[in-house]
Amino acid sequence: MQREMEELLTAAFPDANFTLSNDSATHRGHAGDDGSGESHFSLSIEWAGFAGQNRVARQRAVNKALGDLPGQRVHALAIRATAPGEG
């Protein structure tokens, strides 16, 4: 799952710097834990194309890039999307 997500992000956001972390182990036994070990992720992504976009637009772009993964095959995805130079 993580590799598939990384491939989709790389294709959608050329030249982006991102870190995708699998947080599933910390959610073991919680709602949404399907036992696969790939149900909860955190994404930190910096991409020049996010300049001038608000937080919601950035998150929508990430979700669109990932297609049916968030909400169907991945229970939770925390997204931190920034443009270069933003804190």
Side-chain angles (χ1 to χ4, degrees):
M1 182 71 59
Q2 184 164 350
R3 179 178 292 177
E4 183 177 354
M5 292 172 72
E6 290 171 343
E7 289 172 357
L8 290 168
L9 291 167
T10 299
F13 304 105
D15 302 319
N17 293 314
F18 68 86
T19 303
L20 182 63
S21 301
N22 185 339
D23 303 327
S24 301
T26 62
H27 295 276
R28 186 168 289 128
H30 296 174
D33 175 26
D34 63 4
S36 71
E38 293 190 305
S39 59
H40 294 73
F41 292 86
S42 295
L43 172 67
S44 177
I45 182 168
E46 179 185 84
W47 184 54
F50 289 143
Q53 293 184 0
N54 65 28
R55 180 184 57 84
V56 173
R58 294 171 184 189
Q59 291 190 356
R60 284 182 179 153
V62 169
N63 284 323
K64 182 179 178 182
L66 294 174
D68 72 341
L69 296 179
Q72 291 185 17
R73 296 171 54 200
V74 172
H75 175 71
L77 174 63
I79 302 168
R80 181 176 182 273
T82 59
E86 296 179 348

